[in-house]
Amino acid sequence: MAEINVTAKDFEEKVLNSELPVLVDFWAPWCGPCRMVAPILEQIAGEMEGKITVAKVNVDEEQSLAQNYRVMSIPTMIIFKGGKAEETAIGARPKADIVKMVEKYL
């Protein structure tokens, strides 16, 4: 399964009410480090299908969500579990670091 795009309209349904932990990537198309992380997140979404959901929030289009979660710099990745933001990683990270962060919430 590929990543899902999330908007303010469906954030509660797809992220906060998800049965699975959700890794939310706050990104923008013009952001170089975001583009570096994108293929890594796509791999993780495929490899961990059924264990986690990887969601993407375009901060240019969803400024209210970025403000709600105090996203000051992108990429920012936040793990949600049980409707709560559990952990945040700011900036491009290697795949191993992202996987290690996600595995804590499986």
Side-chain angles (χ1 to χ4, degrees):
M1 180 173 132
E3 306 113 325
I4 59 171
N5 289 309
V6 180
T7 65
K9 289 178 186 165
D10 59 9
F11 191 85
E12 183 174 350
E13 173 197 341
K14 291 183 176 178
V15 177
L16 301 180
N17 294 335
S18 174
E19 297 284 321
L20 298 175
V22 183
L23 174 61
V24 180
D25 175 30
F26 289 87
W27 72 288
W30 48 264
C31 166
C34 299
R35 289 195 307 267
M36 288 170 40
V37 171
I40 294 169
L41 295 176
E42 197 173 321
Q43 285 177 358
I44 291 170
E47 292 168 5
M48 300 183 110
E49 184 175 356
K51 295 180 185 174
I52 67 156
T53 300
V54 176
K56 297 181 76 66
V57 173
N58 183 327
V59 297
D60 288 342
E61 297 172 358
E62 302 297 333
Q63 293 176 7
S64 64
L65 282 175
Q67 288 173 343
N68 262 7
Y69 292 99
R70 295 179 173 85
V71 175
M72 304 291 190
S73 177
I74 53 174
T76 291
M77 292 164 273
I78 303 176
I79 300 255
F80 288 84
K81 185 169 184 178
K84 290 181 14 197
E86 296 286 349
E87 189 171 340
T88 301
I90 299 169
R93 301 288 173 94
K95 182 179 178 182
D97 288 2
I98 299 169
V99 168
K100 188 185 297 184
M101 183 173 89
V102 167
E103 285 178 338
K104 289 188 243 175
Y105 301 96
L106 297 181

